[in-house]
Amino acid sequence: MLDQYGLIGALAIVAFLFPFAGVGIAWMLRPKHPNPVKKSTYECGIETIGDAWVQFRAQYYLIALIFVIFDIEVIFLFPFAVAFEQVGPFAVLEAILFVVILAGGLIYAWKKDALEWQ
Amino acid sequence: MDKIDLRVAGEAFHQFLINIGLTSGQASLVDWIFGALILLLMFIVLAILLIWFERKLAGRVQDRLGPNRVGPFGLIQPIADTVKLFTKEDITPTGADRVTFNLAPTLAVFSIVMAFAVIPFADKVIGTDINVGVVYLMAFASIGSMSLLMAGWSSNNKYALLGGFRVVAQLMSYEIPMAFAMLLPVLLAGTMRMNGIVEEQGQFFGLGWNIWIMPAVFIVYLTTALAEGERAPFDLLEAESEIVAGYNIEYSGLKFAWFYLAFFMNTWVLSAVATTLFLGGWQGPFVSQIPALGVVYFMVKTIIMFILFAWIRATFPRLRIDQMMSFCWKFLVPVMLVLFLLTAIILKLGLPTIVVWLLILLSNVVVFAGALWLLGKGLEKSKWASKRLFTPEIPRL
């Protein structure tokens, strides 16, 4: 078991160091002449007004909530799919019920216009 | 020709390390680091070739020549670009959140390189054949979309913020149907190992490929892969004409290059996953006699998928965001829910393999055709229906 994950650990270190090393080498090679105008936020020709970190639409929270529900549903279904040949018909029925309940949730969100993008 | 078996080669290497005086644990450590470096090298070589290839292809589609100045056929172009990007000045805007801003491109590359660990190039040519391969891929795809969100948020730029919002909306939404599309091959194979799924598709000389059994699932996967790979017609998060460049607007120099690299290699990983899950992976004629052929088959299939993605990107205009979100939640997700339920029921009936496959094929075709018909009906009623604003007068002859 550990044998299989050793490579992933090594790859995680290598994969993290590779972009960092690239940025490090670029830092040594590149010119550095910053000035306030150059470092200002990009805008279409005029100066930026205020921060970009503002309040935003609740729509994104709704989408994120629905996403979390369905993503967790899929994660639960993966072990079910792997054990599918060993489980009895009752477990399949339960999985179907699980999906149907969540489908009901999707229909509810749909009817409440949570999926409409205004 | 003798059988090329990488596992044997790996064991020989392991034995060699023990012979020169390392303990077994130390030898494993060296093995892992070597394996990781080989995968990274593969990543870099593939990136250079594929960037050149896609630019050449996009050039052809748009009636241009594409890169043709540096080296034969412009092959050295990506290297020249890399040198240029290395020597470019790198600007971090004053208002940005420095740590997040600098971490985001690193994470983007990291998530793609990590995906290479479970891609089965051939029978034994796989980084590590863990038993949660598919979920592992999904996990690192999520880290990839998180890095884009980090970039959009930390830039403190309104265009970048809009790009970040669209990342949340698009990548997260399309992750659901994509996960379902990856779930169905797992359900059929009964394993999440990447090689296990490929082996399962080896029956009946290529008729066992999942693309023949469940074409609708493959089409859904293709659509979601376009969205996950930020490719046209789903490239809203970096729509040049709307939000300039989206999340990577403030990035310059090498940090921009990392996003560019992650974008291209993400497409390659998505094509490789499509090959593994739906096109039979390294399966092909004579692959049991000569295992090395598996690599050729895998690469050919993956590059065909890559060409398809590049072709679609070069051809289609982009969607509007509300159309894109509705398409995901009101079409793809319900279709996949129904297909999952039908497939589970069909598999549990205990029929012979061929009948099961035919039934799944039938359910796929019926559900997909029915869903498309309902979509058409729904669009007729929708206020966004594309009505003709004027009726052109047809001159009567």
Coordinates of all heavy atoms in Angstrom, one line a residue, chain B residues 87-127:
Chain B
T87 N 13.1 35.8 -19.4 CA 13.8 37.1 -19.3 C 12.8 38.3 -19.2 O 13.3 39.4 -19.4 CB 14.8 37.2 -20.4 OG1 14.0 37.0 -21.6 CG2 15.9 36.2 -20.3
K88 N 11.5 38.0 -19.1 CA 10.6 39.1 -19.0 C 10.5 39.6 -17.6 O 10.6 38.9 -16.6 CB 9.2 38.6 -19.5 CG 9.0 38.7 -20.9 CD 8.5 40.0 -21.4 CE 8.4 40.0 -22.9 NZ 8.0 41.4 -23.3
E89 N 10.2 40.9 -17.5 CA 10.0 41.5 -16.1 C 8.7 41.0 -15.6 O 7.7 40.8 -16.3 CB 10.0 43.0 -16.2 CG 9.9 43.6 -14.8 CD 10.2 45.1 -14.8 OE1 10.4 45.7 -15.9 OE2 10.2 45.7 -13.7
D90 N 8.8 40.7 -14.3 CA 7.7 40.1 -13.6 C 7.1 41.1 -12.6 O 7.8 41.6 -11.7 CB 8.1 38.8 -12.9 CG 7.0 38.0 -12.4 OD1 5.9 38.4 -12.4 OD2 7.3 36.9 -11.9
I91 N 5.8 41.5 -12.8 CA 5.3 42.5 -12.0 C 4.2 42.0 -11.0 O 3.3 41.2 -11.5 CB 4.6 43.6 -12.9 CG1 5.6 44.2 -13.9 CG2 4.0 44.7 -12.0 CD1 5.0 44.8 -15.1
T92 N 4.4 42.3 -9.8 CA 3.3 42.0 -8.8 C 2.6 43.3 -8.5 O 3.3 44.2 -8.0 CB 3.9 41.4 -7.5 OG1 4.7 40.3 -7.9 CG2 2.7 40.9 -6.6
P93 N 1.3 43.5 -8.8 CA 0.7 44.8 -8.5 C 0.7 45.1 -7.0 O 0.7 44.2 -6.2 CB -0.7 44.6 -9.1 CG -0.9 43.2 -9.4 CD 0.4 42.5 -9.4
T94 N 0.7 46.4 -6.8 CA 0.8 46.9 -5.4 C -0.3 46.4 -4.5 O -0.1 46.0 -3.4 CB 0.8 48.4 -5.4 OG1 1.4 48.9 -6.6 CG2 1.6 49.0 -4.2
G95 N -1.5 46.3 -5.1 CA -2.6 46.0 -4.2 C -2.9 44.5 -4.0 O -3.8 44.1 -3.3
A96 N -2.0 43.7 -4.7 CA -2.3 42.2 -4.7 C -2.0 41.6 -3.4 O -1.2 42.1 -2.6 CB -1.6 41.6 -5.8
D97 N -2.6 40.5 -3.1 CA -2.3 39.6 -2.0 C -1.1 38.8 -2.4 O -1.2 37.8 -3.1 CB -3.6 38.8 -1.7 CG -3.3 37.9 -0.5 OD1 -2.2 37.8 0.0 OD2 -4.3 37.3 0.1
R98 N 0.1 39.2 -1.9 CA 1.3 38.7 -2.5 C 1.4 37.1 -2.4 O 1.8 36.5 -3.4 CB 2.5 39.3 -1.8 CG 2.7 40.7 -2.1 CD 4.1 41.2 -1.6 NE 5.2 40.7 -2.4 CZ 5.6 41.4 -3.5 NH1 5.0 42.5 -3.9 NH2 6.6 40.9 -4.2
V99 N 1.2 36.6 -1.2 CA 1.4 35.1 -1.1 C 0.5 34.3 -2.0 O 0.9 33.5 -2.8 CB 1.2 34.7 0.4 CG1 1.3 33.2 0.6 CG2 2.1 35.5 1.3
T100 N -0.8 34.6 -2.0 CA -1.7 33.9 -2.8 C -1.4 34.2 -4.3 O -1.5 33.2 -5.1 CB -3.2 34.4 -2.5 OG1 -3.3 34.7 -1.1 CG2 -4.2 33.4 -2.9
F101 N -1.1 35.4 -4.6 CA -0.8 35.8 -6.0 C 0.3 34.9 -6.5 O 0.3 34.4 -7.7 CB -0.4 37.2 -6.0 CG -0.2 37.8 -7.4 CD1 -1.3 38.2 -8.2 CD2 1.0 37.9 -7.9 CE1 -1.1 38.7 -9.4 CE2 1.2 38.4 -9.2 CZ 0.1 38.8 -10.0
N102 N 1.4 34.7 -5.7 CA 2.6 34.0 -6.2 C 2.4 32.5 -6.1 O 3.0 31.7 -6.8 CB 3.8 34.4 -5.4 CG 4.2 35.8 -5.8 OD1 4.2 36.2 -6.9 ND2 4.6 36.6 -4.8
L103 N 1.5 32.0 -5.2 CA 1.3 30.6 -5.1 C 0.4 30.0 -6.2 O 0.5 28.9 -6.6 CB 0.6 30.3 -3.7 CG 0.7 28.9 -3.2 CD1 2.1 28.5 -3.0 CD2 -0.1 28.8 -1.9
A104 N -0.5 30.9 -6.7 CA -1.5 30.3 -7.7 C -0.9 29.7 -8.9 O -1.3 28.5 -9.2 CB -2.5 31.5 -8.0
P105 N 0.0 30.3 -9.6 CA 0.6 29.6 -10.8 C 1.3 28.3 -10.4 O 1.2 27.3 -11.2 CB 1.5 30.6 -11.4 CG 1.7 31.7 -10.5 CD 0.6 31.7 -9.5
T106 N 2.0 28.3 -9.3 CA 2.6 27.1 -8.9 C 1.6 26.0 -8.7 O 1.9 24.8 -9.1 CB 3.4 27.4 -7.5 OG1 4.1 28.5 -7.7 CG2 4.3 26.2 -7.2
L107 N 0.5 26.3 -8.0 CA -0.5 25.3 -7.8 C -1.1 24.8 -9.1 O -1.4 23.6 -9.2 CB -1.6 25.8 -6.9 CG -1.5 25.6 -5.4 CD1 -2.7 26.1 -4.7 CD2 -1.3 24.1 -5.1
A108 N -1.3 25.7 -10.0 CA -1.8 25.3 -11.3 C -1.0 24.2 -12.0 O -1.5 23.2 -12.4 CB -2.0 26.5 -12.2
V109 N 0.3 24.4 -12.0 CA 1.2 23.5 -12.6 C 1.3 22.2 -11.8 O 1.2 21.1 -12.3 CB 2.7 24.0 -12.8 CG1 3.6 23.0 -13.3 CG2 2.6 25.2 -13.8
F110 N 1.3 22.4 -10.5 CA 1.4 21.2 -9.5 C 0.2 20.3 -9.8 O 0.4 19.0 -9.9 CB 1.3 21.8 -8.1 CG 1.1 20.8 -7.0 CD1 2.2 20.0 -6.6 CD2 -0.1 20.7 -6.4 CE1 2.0 19.1 -5.6 CE2 -0.3 19.7 -5.4 CZ 0.8 18.9 -5.0
S111 N -1.0 20.8 -9.9 CA -2.1 19.9 -10.0 C -2.1 19.1 -11.3 O -2.5 17.9 -11.3 CB -3.4 20.7 -10.0 OG -3.5 21.5 -11.2
I112 N -1.5 19.7 -12.4 CA -1.5 18.9 -13.6 C -0.4 17.9 -13.6 O -0.6 16.7 -14.0 CB -1.2 19.9 -14.8 CG1 -2.2 21.0 -14.8 CG2 -1.4 19.1 -16.1 CD1 -3.6 20.6 -15.1
V113 N 0.8 18.2 -13.0 CA 1.9 17.3 -13.0 C 1.5 16.1 -12.1 O 1.7 14.9 -12.4 CB 3.2 17.9 -12.4 CG1 4.3 16.9 -12.3 CG2 3.6 19.0 -13.3
M114 N 0.7 16.3 -11.0 CA 0.3 15.3 -10.2 C -0.6 14.3 -10.9 O -0.6 13.1 -10.6 CB -0.5 15.8 -8.9 CG 0.4 16.5 -7.9 SD 1.8 15.5 -7.4 CE 0.9 14.5 -6.2
A115 N -1.4 14.8 -11.8 CA -2.3 13.9 -12.5 C -1.6 12.9 -13.4 O -2.1 11.8 -13.6 CB -3.2 14.7 -13.5
F116 N -0.3 13.2 -13.7 CA 0.5 12.2 -14.5 C 0.7 10.9 -13.8 O 1.0 9.9 -14.5 CB 1.8 12.9 -15.0 CG 1.7 13.6 -16.3 CD1 0.9 14.7 -16.4 CD2 2.4 13.1 -17.4 CE1 0.8 15.3 -17.6 CE2 2.4 13.8 -18.6 CZ 1.5 14.9 -18.7
A117 N 0.7 10.9 -12.5 CA 1.0 9.7 -11.7 C 0.1 8.5 -12.0 O 0.5 7.4 -11.9 CB 1.0 10.0 -10.2
V118 N -1.1 8.8 -12.4 CA -2.1 7.7 -12.6 C -2.5 7.4 -14.0 O -3.4 6.7 -14.3 CB -3.3 7.8 -11.7 CG1 -3.0 7.7 -10.3 CG2 -4.0 9.1 -12.0
I119 N -1.8 8.1 -15.0 CA -2.2 7.9 -16.4 C -1.5 6.6 -16.9 O -0.3 6.6 -17.0 CB -1.8 9.1 -17.2 CG1 -2.8 10.3 -16.8 CG2 -2.0 8.9 -18.7 CD1 -2.5 11.6 -17.4
P120 N -2.3 5.6 -17.4 CA -1.7 4.4 -17.9 C -1.3 4.5 -19.3 O -2.1 4.4 -20.2 CB -2.8 3.4 -17.7 CG -4.1 4.2 -17.8 CD -3.8 5.6 -17.4
F121 N 0.0 4.7 -19.6 CA 0.5 4.8 -20.9 C 0.5 3.4 -21.6 O 0.3 3.3 -22.8 CB 1.9 5.4 -20.9 CG 2.0 6.8 -20.5 CD1 2.2 7.2 -19.2 CD2 1.8 7.8 -21.5 CE1 2.2 8.5 -18.9 CE2 1.8 9.1 -21.1 CZ 2.0 9.5 -19.8
A122 N 0.8 2.4 -20.8 CA 0.7 1.0 -21.3 C 0.5 0.1 -20.1 O 0.3 0.6 -19.0 CB 1.9 0.6 -22.1
D123 N 0.4 -1.2 -20.4 CA 0.1 -2.2 -19.4 C 0.9 -1.9 -18.1 O 0.3 -1.8 -17.0 CB 0.4 -3.6 -19.9 CG -0.2 -4.6 -19.0 OD1 -0.9 -4.2 -18.0 OD2 -0.1 -5.8 -19.2
K124 N 2.2 -1.9 -18.2 CA 3.0 -1.7 -17.0 C 3.6 -0.3 -16.9 O 4.2 0.1 -15.9 CB 4.2 -2.7 -17.0 CG 3.7 -4.1 -17.1 CD 3.4 -4.7 -15.8 CE 2.6 -6.0 -15.9 NZ 3.1 -6.9 -16.8
V125 N 3.3 0.5 -17.9 CA 3.9 1.9 -17.9 C 3.0 2.9 -17.3 O 2.2 3.6 -18.0 CB 4.3 2.3 -19.4 CG1 5.1 3.6 -19.4 CG2 5.0 1.2 -20.1
I126 N 2.9 2.9 -16.0 CA 2.1 3.8 -15.3 C 2.8 4.2 -14.0 O 3.5 3.3 -13.4 CB 0.7 3.1 -14.9 CG1 -0.2 4.0 -14.1 CG2 0.9 1.7 -14.3 CD1 -1.6 3.5 -14.0
G127 N 2.7 5.4 -13.6 CA 3.4 5.9 -12.5 C 3.1 5.0 -11.3 O 4.0 4.4 -10.7

